[in-house]
């Protein structure tokens, strides 16, 4: 069973703080993604990564950065949190091929509130 | 431009009624489309994909290239179908482009 684990389910941070959201997958997937989920806006892609140390900007990368030092781990970083970054953050992973190729698996999400 | 449109934010039906959640897409090329579902307090999960042409939990979806649609259907809705449903399109770089989602409420 594919497992995508987001270490923090609920966080409350102050404006200006640096925030780290961690994600680990256990299926040796090449691709990893960070999405943001907001009511009425659906899921919007922040960053994604095809391989270790590789990253690509998604649709809304401003205010975020990412790190992928190991294949199984993909971190989302908010350098200086702002109230408009209050949201649900979803990590996901997928393989390039095989029986489940292209199926994207999601973590449970991290609720971030910035006050 | 690649885009997925779900025109309904909320769809309310009674148990046993037919359900159709609409999805239209814009994509130049051969699309690969998915439906994802998120039940209350659970993670987003794949419901079905058009390539496999399967029926999951009684739901089906047919790709209509002429109308650029991938509507999700179920002949008889159940209360446990109440959830948030997202239509998604995989682009040529393996990313998923999501619609804004439709909340399905099934009343007893």
């Amino acid at each position: 069973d594919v497992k995508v684990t987001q270490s923090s389910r609920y966080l409350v941070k102050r404006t200006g703080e640096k925030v780290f959201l961690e994600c680990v997958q256990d299926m040796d997937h090449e691709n990893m993604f960070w999405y943001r989920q907001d009511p009425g806006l659906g899921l919007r892609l922040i960053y994604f990564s095809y391989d270790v140390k590789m990253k690509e900007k998604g649709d809304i990368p401003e205010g975020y950065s990412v790190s992928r030092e190991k294949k199984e781990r993909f971190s989302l970083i908010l350098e200086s949190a702002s109230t408009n970054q209050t949201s649900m953050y979803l990590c996901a992973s997928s393989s390039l091929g095989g029986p489940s190729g292209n199926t994207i698996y999601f973590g449970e999400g991290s609720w971030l509130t910035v006050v | 431009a690649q885009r997925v449109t779900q025109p309904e934010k909320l769809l309310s039906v009674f148990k046993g009624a037919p359900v159709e959640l609409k999805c239209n897409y814009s994509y130049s090329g051969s699309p690969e489309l998915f439906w994802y579902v998120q039940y209350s307090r659970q993670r987003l999960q794949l419901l079905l994909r058009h390539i496999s042409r399967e029926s999951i939990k009684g739901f089906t979806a047919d790709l209509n290239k002429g109308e650029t649609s991938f509507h999700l259907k179920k002949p008889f809705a159940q209360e446990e179908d109440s959830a948030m449903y997202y239509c998604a399109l995989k682009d040529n770089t393996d990313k998923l482009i999501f619609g804004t989602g439709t909340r399905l409420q099934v009343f007893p």
Side-chain angles (χ1 to χ4, degrees), chain A residues 20-72:
Chain A
F20 292 87
L21 299 180
E22 304 287 346
C23 174
V24 176
Q25 51 94 2
D26 65 358
M27 284 300 292
D28 202 36
H29 284 169
E30 293 83 5
N31 303 329
M32 295 190 75
F33 310 85
W34 275 105
Y35 286 89
R36 174 175 169 160
Q37 184 180 24
D38 298 289
L41 296 177
L43 277 76
R44 294 177 292 167
L45 182 64
I46 305 171
Y47 267 97
F48 60 101
S49 169
Y50 292 129
D51 203 349
V52 176
K53 296 191 186 295
M54 292 184 66
K55 60 184 179 183
E56 297 282 344
K57 291 181 180 180
D59 300 317
I60 52 164
E62 295 79 19
Y64 303 94
S65 62
V66 290
S67 172
R68 194 162 180 204
E69 296 296 319
K70 294 185 178 182
K71 191 175 185 180
E72 67 270 19

Side-chain angles (χ1 to χ4, degrees), chain B residues 28-41:
Chain B
S28 56
S30 188
E32 189 171 346
L33 287 150
F34 304 79
W35 275 99
Y36 276 79
V37 61
Q38 189 171 31
Y39 301 102
S40 180
R41 300 181 186 278

Side-chain angles (χ1 to χ4, degrees), chain A residues 35 37 48 50 103-104 106, chain B residues 36 38 43 49 86 93:
Chain A
Y35 286 89
Q37 184 180 24
F48 60 101
Y50 292 129
T103 298
I104 294 185
F106 284 85
Chain B
Y36 276 79
Q38 189 171 31
R43 69 182 70 203
R49 51 197 301 180
Y86 291 96
T93 61

Side-chain angles (χ1 to χ4, degrees), chain A residues 3-4 31 33 35 37 40-43 45 48 50 90 95-96 99-104 106-108, chain B residues 9 32 34 36 38 41-46 49 84 86 90-91 93-101:
Chain A
K3 198 72 178 295
V4 180
N31 303 329
F33 310 85
Y35 286 89
Q37 184 180 24
L41 296 177
L43 277 76
L45 182 64
F48 60 101
Y50 292 129
L90 297 179
S95 65
L96 287 177
S100 62
N102 300 326
T103 298
I104 294 185
F106 284 85
E108 291 185 293
Chain B
K9 286 188 176 181
E32 189 171 346
F34 304 79
Y36 276 79
Q38 189 171 31
R41 300 181 186 278
Q42 293 187 28
R43 69 182 70 203
L44 198 62
Q45 57 187 286
L46 179 67
R49 51 197 301 180
M84 194 73 181
Y86 291 96
K90 187 178 79 71
D91 72 7
T93 61
D94 261 3
K95 302 190 306 292
L96 280 181
I97 300 166
F98 285 87
T100 51

